[in-house]
Amino acid sequence: ALPICKTFFKTVIAGFPSGDKRLTFAQLEALTESPAKDEWDFKFLGMSNHPFIKANYPHHEGIWGWEDAGDQVIMVVRNIKRTMVEYHDILWDIGYAKTWEEAFALVPNLYRERPPLEDFLAWRDERVFDEIDWYGWFIDYYMEGGLMRDMITNKITTPEHWNMLMIPNGHKFEDLQYDVVVGADTHVEPSYDPNCALITNGCAPVKVISAERLADPVKGPAVGLEIAAAVDDKEGMNVISPEARNCIWGELIIRKKGMKTFLDRGGYEEHDYSFTKGHLEKMVKELDRLIEKYSNVPWTTNSNAQVLVDLFQEHRGLILEDLAEGRFRRIMKRKSSLTPDRFRELE
């Protein structure tokens, strides 16, 4: 058990729903011998002194459950296409649970194997066009320190609209539209999520970590050292000596010691889960938007923005290769398909 009386400088490990945060906090746990805890566990099991907080917030799969416990944010970013595959993998692991209790009971299922292709394709057709918007919106949220934006138009929005977006399943898609709630020509003063004021150093990340590069045999050790540096010399953090840090990375990534991660899944390979041409084209369009945004003022002197641009250009190139090589498939033509009609013309 963690000593209640000991003060820890606490780090929120934030990322779009996927397996990348687990890979990152596994490094932190091994480097410091201190544990991580999920945002939902803070909410439902109660507050505790865990120094590492795993968060999907503000994505609809997340919740700000840790109150004012955070001191800084590390944002973990993964290739948008791979993220969607692993996001579904996790949903499948926990039986598409709708409650914390259901999900918690199925935690032992995590990262064992990959889902049937049929299950992925049905979810893909129903969700991925929307989740591409959430992916870029999530990154903007943290980079801009919690600035409230609409994920469909990317426009700055009002607290009223933001609060509706935070519970998207509570409204019809049409009722969440920016033009309906805010008005197309309305001047909106920037508002920030008040939760970000609860983090000592705010929501803007101190470090952006690439999940792919962390797992890469060549680039990974350097990323592992970046993770260690983000908590080194922080209160309560006893980080292992510098000469042993590469060893920690090797044990977890190469020799796969410790908890299961997405690297341990059996069955299909990630590339077996394909997308439609429309999905890939929308992913490229979203990456284009992010590259354009973070390549220009006021981001040109922001080191995290430059890391993002480098990553997004790499990810964009991989998706363009898929498009050029014809590595995509059509939306499933099943009578029982849950694919929303508004996606039909996008395939």
Side-chain angles (χ1 to χ4, degrees):
L2 286 163
I4 296 173
C5 56
K6 185 172 181 179
T7 301
F8 292 105
F9 187 88
K10 295 176 180 175
T11 301
V12 177
I13 300 104
F16 192 89
S18 183
D20 44 13
K21 294 179 294 298
R22 190 181 182 97
L23 211 61
T24 304
F25 77 68
Q27 293 282 324
L28 286 165
E29 288 183 330
L31 287 162
T32 65
E33 294 188 330
S34 295
K37 184 174 174 178
D38 187 80
E39 59 194 342
W40 287 95
D41 293 345
F42 277 99
K43 179 71 174 178
F44 285 93
L45 297 178
M47 294 299 292
S48 57
N49 206 18
H50 287 69
F52 305 124
I53 301 159
K54 172 181 163 286
N56 292 324
Y57 182 91
H59 189 275
H60 57 84
E61 299 287 358
I63 190 170
W64 192 289
W66 63 92
E67 298 178 7
D68 62 352
D71 291 303
Q72 67 176 6
V73 173
I74 292 175
M75 183 168 67
V76 189
V77 176
R78 198 164 186 227
N79 177 314
I80 187 171
K81 180 184 159 195
R82 290 178 166 183
T83 290
M84 298 301 162
V85 174
E86 181 60 27
Y87 174 17
H88 174 260
D89 286 353
I90 293 170
L91 288 176
W92 184 82
D93 288 343
I94 59 173
Y96 305 97
K98 298 295 185 186
T99 68
W100 175 83
E101 289 83 2
E102 291 172 354
F104 190 74
L106 292 170
V107 163
N109 290 352
L110 286 169
Y111 305 103
R112 287 185 173 180
E113 55 186 327
R114 294 198 183 277
L117 289 176
E118 179 84 0
D119 289 5
F120 168 74
L121 295 173
W123 176 85
R124 179 202 72 176
D125 292 351
E126 183 185 358
R127 288 297 317 153
V128 166
F129 278 119
D130 281 343
E131 294 298 343
I132 292 167
D133 292 325
W134 283 82
Y135 176 92
W137 170 85
F138 184 98
I139 286 162
D140 286 340
Y141 171 86
Y142 279 101
M143 289 299 291
E144 295 179 317
L147 179 62
M148 294 181 178
R149 288 188 181 272
D150 169 43
M151 70 280 301
I152 305 301
T153 64
N154 302 118
K155 291 180 178 179
I156 293 172
T157 196
T158 62
E160 176 200 3
H161 188 216
W162 171 266
N163 291 334
M164 293 172 69
L165 296 172
M166 287 297 94
I167 45 169
N169 295 334
H171 304 85
K172 292 180 181 177
F173 179 82
E174 295 74 21
D175 295 337
L176 289 172
Q177 298 305 295
Y178 187 90
D179 290 359
V180 173
V181 182
V182 181
D185 301 318
T186 305
H187 173 72
V188 179
E189 287 294 327
S191 298
Y192 289 83
D193 182 354
N195 283 320
C196 287
L198 301 176
I199 295 183
T200 308
N201 293 340
C203 280
V206 295
K207 181 66 66 177
V208 169
I209 295 295
S210 162
E212 280 89 7
R213 291 182 183 177
L214 175 58
D216 183 88
V218 176
K219 298 176 181 176
V223 179
L225 293 178
E226 287 184 38
I227 293 170
V231 297
D232 211 1
D233 298 326
K234 298 294 191 290
E235 188 170 8
M237 292 286 98
N238 297 313
V239 185
I240 198 167
S241 60
E243 60 270 17
R245 293 176 188 179
N246 278 345
C247 179
I248 294 288
W249 176 87
E251 288 293 295
L252 293 174
I253 301 295
I254 302 300
R255 286 172 282 284
K256 297 183 179 179
K257 300 286 182 67
M259 71 177 82
K260 283 185 177 294
T261 70
F262 67 80
L263 301 177
D264 297 301
R265 288 190 185 277
Y268 291 109
E269 297 295 327
E270 258 186 356
H271 59 73
D272 292 323
Y273 298 87
S274 57
F275 294 85
T276 70
K277 186 167 183 267
H279 287 133
L280 297 180
E281 287 172 343
K282 184 168 181 180
M283 289 177 191
V284 170
K285 186 178 179 182
E286 183 63 7
L287 292 175
D288 283 342
R289 181 187 75 81
L290 291 166
I291 290 166
E292 172 72 15
K293 175 172 181 168
Y294 292 110
S295 296
N296 287 293
V297 176
W299 298 102
T300 47
T301 57
N302 183 299
S303 59
N304 283 324
Q306 300 319 302
V307 170
L308 286 176
V309 170
D310 183 43
L311 290 173
F312 294 149
Q313 288 174 334
E314 181 181 311
H315 301 166
R316 179 181 181 275
L318 293 170
I319 297 171
L320 288 175
E321 283 180 20
D322 286 340
L323 284 165
E325 298 295 327
R327 291 193 289 264
F328 48 81
R329 64 170 79 199
R330 297 181 65 79
I331 279 181
M332 297 172 70
K333 301 298 182 185
R334 299 172 309 145
K335 290 180 181 177
S336 60
S337 175
L338 296 173
T339 307
D341 290 340
R342 60 196 169 89
F343 296 159
R344 293 290 180 183
E345 71 279 6
L346 296 175
E347 67 169 306

